Amino acid sequence: VTTSNGCLYSSNAVTVNVNTNAVSSIIPTGNYYLCNNATGVLTANVVSGQNYQWYLNGAPISGATGTTYSVTSAGNYQMFVTAGNCQAFSDTTHVISQTAPTANIGAAGNTTFCLGGSVLLMANNNPNYQYQWYMGSNPIPGANSYSFNAISAGNYTVQETYNSCTGISNSISVVVNPVPVANISLASGSAQICQGDSALLIAGTGVGQTYQWLNSGTPIPGATNPSYFASVGGNYQVVVTNPFNCSTTSTIVNISVVPNPTPNVAVSGDTVKAVGYLLYQW
């Protein structure tokens, strides 16, 4: 509207169209790792009415006009979108080609041992790696170091992760053998014997087991049967070994020996009469 000499004049109408801004983004953002020449997928946000064009290192990729793009090579990827006359570039996703960790584990000792023992399993120690140990297919809670002390039977592996790339190690089998039971019982029920007598000590029996009796911690030569006649005082134990070469030492049984009494005869007066009298009394 204009005025001239007090008169108002209106111009013709002009239509102004405001287009919706183009919106462009890529999932994932930042660094995206391709492990061992694998194929990754980048996804653009989907907005109705937008057109898409993928870019690699600043140049449009021929034919790449969908909302997803499969990447097989490293580089800097962007999405360029148009909505009417509006245009927008996404942030850059840096695709990095990387080799997954090569995970190998070994044992610092024998992987077959008796119950109560252990073996240290170790992977290569890299401060940039994250570790997760497994027994079978199950992750072991809290086992996130390059080494793991195994006390249970099973098949162990470790997963190593570096920049989202993972490697699974070889498997190590751990065998845990049982230990025998070692108990001592007294056949007479008494641990006190008279001098010249003996106490029968009996250990529990088992197929293929061997025995060694001890007195005050010292092996008794030849005492390798399931039972032992103790005629000398002391602290007796038995070491029981099973066919897996696992041993258990029993608790102590103390055997005490009571000396026999010594008879004493006192004689007064005539020893001849006394002897006769004693003979008569006897």
Side-chain angles (χ1 to χ4, degrees):
V1 177
T2 61
T3 60
S4 177
N5 296 323
C7 296
L8 298 176
Y9 299 90
S10 297
S11 69
N12 59 303
V14 175
T15 302
V16 176
N17 293 320
V18 179
N19 292 325
T20 303
N21 286 334
V23 179
S24 181
S25 63
I26 300 177
I27 301 173
T29 59
N31 294 332
Y32 180 63
Y33 296 92
L34 293 179
C35 303
N36 294 347
N37 300 316
T39 298
V41 177
L42 302 179
T43 303
N45 63 303
V46 178
V47 177
S48 178
Q50 291 191 159
N51 297 312
Y52 300 87
Q53 175 62 58
W54 290 91
Y55 275 67
L56 172 59
N57 297 328
I61 304 170
S62 177
T65 57
T67 57
T68 63
Y69 183 70
S70 297
V71 293
T72 58
S73 59
N76 299 319
Y77 290 82
Q78 286 179 287
M79 166 57 68
F80 178 73
V81 300
T82 58
N85 294 322
C86 298
Q87 303 172 337
F89 268 103
S90 70
D91 291 334
T92 300
T93 294
H94 306 284
V95 175
I96 301 168
S97 182
Q98 180 177 291
T99 301
T102 301
N104 290 305
I105 57 174
N110 198 331
T111 56
T112 298
F113 50 85
C114 301
L115 183 66
S118 64
V119 63
L120 184 65
L121 307 179
M122 294 183 294
N124 52 316
N125 184 10
N126 190 319
N128 296 317
Y129 288 2
Q130 291 82 49
Y131 299 89
Q132 176 60 64
W133 287 87
Y134 286 77
M135 187 167 70
S137 60
N138 300 315
I140 303 171
N144 306 120
S145 174
Y146 76 96
S147 63
F148 178 73
N149 195 45
I151 62 174
S152 301
N155 296 316
Y156 290 85
T157 56
V158 68
Q159 176 182 280
E160 297 177 353
T161 302
Y162 178 62
N163 287 336
S164 302
C165 294
T166 60
I168 300 294
S169 74
N170 55 302
S171 175
I172 287 184
S173 178
V174 172
V175 177
V176 180
N177 289 320
V179 295
V181 176
N183 292 317
I184 300 177
S185 60
L186 276 165
S188 64
S190 175
Q192 190 177 74
I193 59 175
C194 296
Q195 191 171 3
D197 291 339
S198 61
L200 180 58
L201 307 177
I202 301 173
T205 59
V207 177
Q209 292 185 162
T210 60
Y211 304 85
Q212 177 60 63
W213 290 88
L214 313 175
N215 187 353
S216 300
T218 301
I220 303 171
T224 56
N225 292 320
S227 61
Y228 180 73
F229 285 95
S231 59
V232 177
N235 295 320
Y236 286 86
Q237 293 173 282
V238 65
V239 178
V240 182
T241 303
N242 64 17
F244 300 108
N245 203 33
C246 296
S247 299
T248 302
T249 301
S250 71
T251 56
I252 292 173
V253 172
N254 179 264
I255 300 296
S256 61
V257 178
V258 179
N260 291 325
T262 302
N264 293 314
V265 177
V267 178
S268 63
D270 192 328
T271 58
V272 175
K273 292 181 178 180
V275 169
Y277 177 76
L278 290 173
L279 288 174
Y280 177 78
Q281 289 297 320
W282 288 108

